[in-house]
Amino acid sequence: MTELQTESDLMSMTQQVVGDHLGSVERVFAAELESENPFIKDIYQHTSRFRGKRLRPILCLLTAEATGGIHQNHHILAAAIEMIHTATLLHDDVLDNADIRRHVATVNVRWNNETSVMYGDFLFTHAFHLTSQTGSAEACRIIGEATNKVCEGELTQIRNRGNLSLTEEEYLAIINGKTAELCAVATRLGAKFAGASQPVIDALELYGRKLGQAFQVADDVLDLVGLEQSVGKTLGTDLDQLKLTLPIIRFLNNLNETERLRVTGLLEAGTSEARLEISRLLGAGGFIEEALSFAKELAEEACAQLSGLPPSRAKSVLEQMPLLAVDRRC
């Protein structure tokens, strides 16, 4: 396995392996959303700054390259998956009352909630329209099912706001839908449309799922202890909305009744002082490090799914991505 010590090393090698194809994905994305409406153009230009490292399109392209080669349909599918992901970001910002996304104002702050919701819907519909251009009913079905699971995950999380008895199993089911599903569908479609065998497709789908789970656990830790100016988005929304994440679930499970009453009181208080105290207690108890260790275990499980692939530059990048998805600051 090629050892890449930093995220910049990884991105540089990714560019070498699939950079030209990623450029094609960007062109497909832009062409599908092109509009003569000046308001739509304005929103498009603004939200283009929300899209960070293009993780999901990159996963689709890398798995294709590692299993048989990248074709035009991969450009279409990668762009459609990125549209769905971007739509979920817009909706999340409304749900979380977030002010910042990638160091710029969210759509709901720059305009209003209605604009954010409707532009998210606009992206969803264009994603399905774009997928139909592959001529594959199965691709449409797979992406449709994945989108359903993403929405189910989000709805389940909304339903469990304020549920201070949320279990670790329930938390993992939520992140499996809201985050891991799109990573899994990206790797599944990448391999499938490259002509990979079903066992390889299944292994790479699991790779994407485990990577997505690891990414979300690490992201939830950042929401608790990250620096907003470094991460580039509004933090603390999980505590503000009483959304329990892995460190807090494990923390609560290790408290006696008296201690639990005190901590639930802090959670329900919702003040900045209460949030700082909870972060301090989580750190002092080792629950932040414990959650990151669990994320690393998920990352290693993801890497194990690549054992059947032949050596290639694409495989080398895929081997590095899960652990670097955990060891990050933004």
Side-chain angles (χ1 to χ4, degrees), residues 17-18 59-70 190-191 194 196 200 204 306 308-316 318:
V17 177
V18 297
L59 286 173
C60 183
L61 296 175
L62 285 172
T63 51
E65 183 66 18
T67 56
I70 300 170
V200 171
L204 286 172
L306 303 173
L309 295 182
S312 68
R313 292 193 304 164
K315 180 182 178 181
S316 294
L318 288 168

Side-chain angles (χ1 to χ4, degrees), residues 23-269:
S24 296
V25 172
E26 292 298 309
R27 287 188 287 274
V28 170
F29 188 100
E32 175 64 26
L33 298 179
E34 187 175 359
S35 173
E36 294 302 316
N37 185 312
F39 186 40
I40 301 299
K41 283 184 177 181
D42 196 12
I43 302 171
Y44 172 80
Q45 290 170 356
H46 185 75
T47 56
S48 66
R49 290 179 284 178
F50 292 178
R51 300 170 56 224
K53 298 177 180 66
R54 305 341 191 222
L55 173 63
R56 292 149 195 83
I58 286 172
L59 286 173
C60 183
L61 296 175
L62 285 172
T63 51
E65 183 66 18
T67 56
I70 300 170
H71 308 294
Q72 174 60 26
N73 277 344
H74 288 112
H75 301 159
I76 293 171
L77 294 167
I81 293 167
E82 182 70 356
M83 283 179 194
I84 293 169
H85 171 61
T86 306
T88 66
L89 297 182
L90 294 173
H91 288 170
D92 281 351
D93 287 340
V94 173
L95 294 172
D96 294 340
N97 296 313
D99 298 327
I100 302 168
R101 169 75 62 180
R102 289 281 167 188
H103 303 283
V104 297
T106 56
V107 170
N108 45 299
V109 165
R110 177 166 175 180
W111 288 285
N112 47 54
N113 285 348
E114 292 86 347
T115 298
S116 194
V117 170
M118 289 308 303
Y119 193 72
D121 292 347
F122 177 82
L123 290 170
F124 275 132
T125 58
H126 274 277
F128 298 131
H129 176 262
L130 184 58
T131 304
S132 71
Q133 295 178 27
T134 64
S136 169
E138 187 173 13
C140 295
R141 178 184 62 78
I142 290 170
I143 284 188
E145 287 178 349
T147 306
N148 289 344
K149 290 176 182 177
V150 171
C151 293
E152 285 178 6
E154 291 286 2
L155 285 167
T156 304
Q157 184 171 68
I158 292 168
R159 177 65 182 84
N160 281 285
R161 285 180 183 172
N163 177 10
L164 300 183
S165 299
L166 188 74
T167 67
E168 188 168 323
E169 182 181 7
E170 290 168 330
Y171 163 78
L172 291 173
I174 288 170
I175 69 170
N176 187 53
K178 63 173 269 186
T179 303
E181 185 63 33
L182 282 186
C183 293
V185 80
T187 51
R188 176 182 178 181
L189 290 173
K192 182 176 184 61
F193 277 79
S197 66
Q198 193 58 50
V200 171
I201 294 170
D202 292 343
L204 286 172
E205 180 178 9
L206 185 55
Y207 164 88
R209 190 171 303 283
K210 292 291 184 178
L211 185 156
Q213 291 170 346
F215 183 95
Q216 187 58 57
V217 171
D219 202 62
D220 290 342
V221 170
L222 280 176
D223 192 77
L224 291 167
V225 299
L227 296 175
E228 200 160 284
Q229 62 268 33
S230 298
V231 177
K233 65 177 182 179
T234 303
L235 297 179
T237 59
D238 291 340
L239 286 180
D240 286 345
Q241 299 182 23
L242 287 181
K243 293 190 293 187
L244 294 201
T245 54
L246 187 63
I248 297 175
I249 291 170
R250 290 189 172 183
F251 179 40
L252 290 173
N253 287 341
N254 279 272
L255 299 177
N256 61 38
E257 186 175 350
T258 301
E259 292 169 334
R260 186 181 175 92
L261 283 172
R262 174 176 176 258
V263 172
T264 54
L266 288 171
L267 287 167
E268 290 168 346

